[in-house]
Amino acid sequence: MPKIVDHDARRRELARAVWQVIRERGVAGASVRAVAQRAGWSPSSVQYYFSTQAELLNFAMRVIADETERRADPAHLPADPHEAALALFDRLLPLDPDARTANEVWVAFLSRVLVDAEAGAFNAASNEWLAEVFRDQLQRLVAAGRVSPAIDLDLEVDRLRVLFDGLALHLVTDAPRMPPERARELIRHHLETLSPSAAPDR
Amino acid sequence: MPKIVDHDARRRELARAVWQVIRERGVAGASVRAVAQRAGWSPSSVQYYFSTQAELLNFAMRVIADETERRADPAHLPADPHEAALALFDRLLPLDPDARTANEVWVAFLSRVLVDAEAGAFNAASNEWLAEVFRDQLQRLVAAGRVSPAIDLDLEVDRLRVLFDGLALHLVTDAPRMPPERARELIRHHLETLSPSAAPDR
DNA sequence: ATGCGGTGCCCAAGATCGTCGATCACGACG
DNA sequence: CGTCGTGATCGACGATCTTGGGCACCGCAT
């Protein structure tokens, strides 16, 4: 067994190069050759770890999804459900530069969801995961009396999912009209409207 | 002046070929050659009308955007503001195959919004237009007593924009979990929650 | 009617890309 | 010290986008 290399580490290293190239030239510019050059390797070396370009891009996408899920770890959230929900959105929305970069790359990957079956599966799984997270948060808020128990949970989960993804999209693609503070305001307001004490005028 | 051809008509003809190819082979299959073959021309002829592939796809998207704006023409909307709003969303959301194709192209272009200045400007203008449309609708609903006059109009416009774009995104990228009927339901429910008579529990 | 110029269309070549096969370097183990 | 598998590379093929040049044809001026 000669010259043992940590394959997974090398693959993650290449994934980072993919993100950089995508941010600089867009997903269309994320050629195998460009990624290889960015990472300081020959195109053939990249192919040694990813036999196909789709495999490379899909892996880069999966790494982002994994990091996002890790960020959402409920371990260090505030005890109060309402505070916890707000904190969770702060972590999930692309409000800081790192998360913003991840979301820019994610937006770029969206085009592949329509074309690549595996990317589509990742996207579906990611949506499924987010639905679970939001369902859990809403249930906690209901249990704490911060959200009316009479809501249609499935419907509100979907509304929150859609609102969240639209918000993430606007934060990245329409920054001038959607600064981070505005996004926080919208989330706060939306949760407010679910409150049992919410007057219809507010 | 020899052999005069209506350039704009020819360009729209090619745009239609783009939609057909996208529907058959996806966005990735929308190569210049494939579009040319579909339209019955040589790749070079297409090049004569669109010097670059991005230009071709850009134009195809713009045509669809124009048609969408035309479809949103409030002239033939129902008189009742609430019915009119629902009808408008039916027209704007990618519920039928044509509108769906348009939105697939839109999703594919989202990645370019971050790296291409022209795509960015187009996206910004589109968002601006949509904000105006939604603001107008909300104002009509308020005037008709279907939406509480106490709402923060700017905030609700933004919430509706974000909800709408998230909905359009999910309709295209997560069709199994977001069928057209569910999208209609979400819109109806969201407008319901803005109603002055909306009980907090519903 | 006839030549001329511009328009519409196309071929061919250059550049880039994804992928495949063959090849080289090298270190661990027998 | 030889052998073999791993890591890394090069070269080539086909497909693609793009550019530059060239061909055909139409309509007006002469």
Side-chain angles (χ1 to χ4, degrees):
Chain A
M1 292 286 187
K3 200 177 185 177
I4 292 172
V5 169
D6 186 340
H7 270 226
D8 207 55
R10 175 67 53 87
R11 284 159 71 94
R12 281 196 298 270
E13 176 190 339
L14 289 173
R16 276 194 294 274
V18 169
W19 306 342
Q20 292 168 359
V21 171
I22 284 180
R23 282 201 64 206
E24 290 165 4
R25 314 191 208 177
V27 72
S31 69
V32 173
R33 286 171 168 83
V35 171
Q37 187 177 10
R38 199 71 172 77
W41 296 92
S42 79
S44 303
S45 297
V46 174
Q47 197 172 16
Y48 181 74
Y49 292 95
F50 298 98
S51 58
T52 181
Q53 185 191 31
E55 210 177 298
L56 168 64
L57 298 181
N58 286 337
F59 181 81
M61 190 173 173
R62 170 172 271 289
V63 171
I64 287 187
D66 287 347
E67 289 197 359
T68 300
E69 294 196 14
R70 196 171 43 72
R71 242 205 314 254
D73 179 17
H76 309 90
L77 286 177
D80 175 62
H82 192 249
E83 293 301 320
L86 292 179
L88 187 65
F89 281 109
D90 268 6
R91 291 195 199 169
L92 289 178
L93 282 174
L95 300 176
D96 65 279
D98 264 5
R100 184 183 166 81
T101 297
N103 249 264
E104 286 177 357
V105 176
W106 185 263
V107 167
F109 275 135
L110 282 179
S111 61
R112 289 181 43 73
V113 168
L114 304 172
V115 169
D116 185 281
E118 195 177 344
F122 282 165
N123 184 64
S126 174
N127 283 336
E128 183 67 40
W129 172 80
L130 205 61
E132 290 305 317
V133 171
F134 287 165
R135 174 179 299 275
D136 180 57
Q137 289 298 316
L138 283 180
Q139 280 173 337
R140 288 173 190 273
L141 287 169
V142 168
R146 298 299 299 251
V147 161
S148 163
I151 61 166
D152 180 336
L153 188 60
D154 285 339
L155 198 62
E156 293 303 341
V157 166
D158 275 355
R159 191 153 70 115
L160 196 51
R161 289 198 307 134
V162 163
L163 188 83
F164 174 85
D165 277 350
L167 209 45
L169 186 64
H170 276 69
L171 277 165
V172 167
T173 61
D174 200 25
R177 247 184 298 275
M178 186 57 67
E181 194 41 56
R182 182 63 164 176
R184 281 205 189 87
E185 199 178 347
L186 275 171
I187 287 288
R188 260 194 315 252
H189 171 61
H190 185 73
L191 292 182
E192 198 77 20
T193 63
L194 297 176
S195 167
S197 63
D201 59 18
R202 178 56 184 155
Chain B
M1 289 285 190
K3 200 174 184 177
I4 292 172
V5 169
D6 186 340
H7 270 228
D8 208 56
R10 176 64 53 83
R11 284 160 72 95
R12 281 196 299 270
E13 175 190 339
L14 289 172
R16 275 195 296 275
V18 170
W19 309 341
Q20 291 168 359
V21 170
I22 287 179
R23 229 174 284 160
E24 290 164 5
R25 315 192 205 176
V27 178
S31 70
V32 173
R33 283 170 168 76
V35 171
Q37 187 178 8
R38 197 70 174 75
W41 297 93
S42 79
S44 303
S45 297
V46 175
Q47 226 68 305
Y48 181 72
Y49 293 95
F50 298 99
S51 58
T52 179
Q53 186 189 33
E55 207 177 303
L56 169 63
L57 298 179
N58 238 328
F59 181 80
M61 184 176 73
R62 174 168 273 286
V63 169
I64 301 180
D66 286 347
E67 289 197 0
T68 301
E69 294 198 13
R70 197 170 43 73
R71 273 205 294 192
D73 179 14
H76 308 92
L77 287 176
D80 175 63
H82 192 248
E83 294 301 320
L86 292 179
L88 187 65
F89 280 110
D90 268 8
R91 295 190 196 172
L92 289 177
L93 282 173
L95 300 176
D96 65 278
D98 266 3
R100 186 184 163 81
T101 299
N103 256 262
E104 288 180 4
V105 179
W106 174 68
V107 168
F109 262 87
L110 284 179
S111 63
R112 301 192 57 237
V113 167
L114 303 172
V115 287
D116 185 283
E118 190 180 346
F122 186 83
N123 183 64
S126 175
N127 283 338
E128 184 66 41
W129 173 79
L130 206 60
E132 290 305 318
V133 172
F134 286 165
R135 172 179 300 273
D136 180 57
Q137 288 298 315
L138 283 180
Q139 280 174 335
R140 288 171 191 274
L141 288 169
V142 168
R146 297 299 301 251
V147 161
S148 165
I151 60 166
D152 181 335
L153 188 60
D154 285 339
L155 198 63
E156 293 302 343
V157 166
D158 276 355
R159 191 153 70 115
L160 197 50
R161 288 198 310 134
V162 162
L163 188 83
F164 175 86
D165 276 350
L167 209 45
L169 185 65
H170 277 68
L171 277 165
V172 169
T173 61
D174 199 25
R177 244 184 300 275
M178 186 56 68
E181 194 42 54
R182 182 63 162 176
R184 282 204 189 87
E185 199 179 345
L186 275 171
I187 288 289
R188 248 176 315 177
H189 171 62
H190 185 73
L191 292 182
E192 200 77 19
T193 64
L194 296 177
S195 166
S197 62
D201 58 16
R202 182 61 186 153

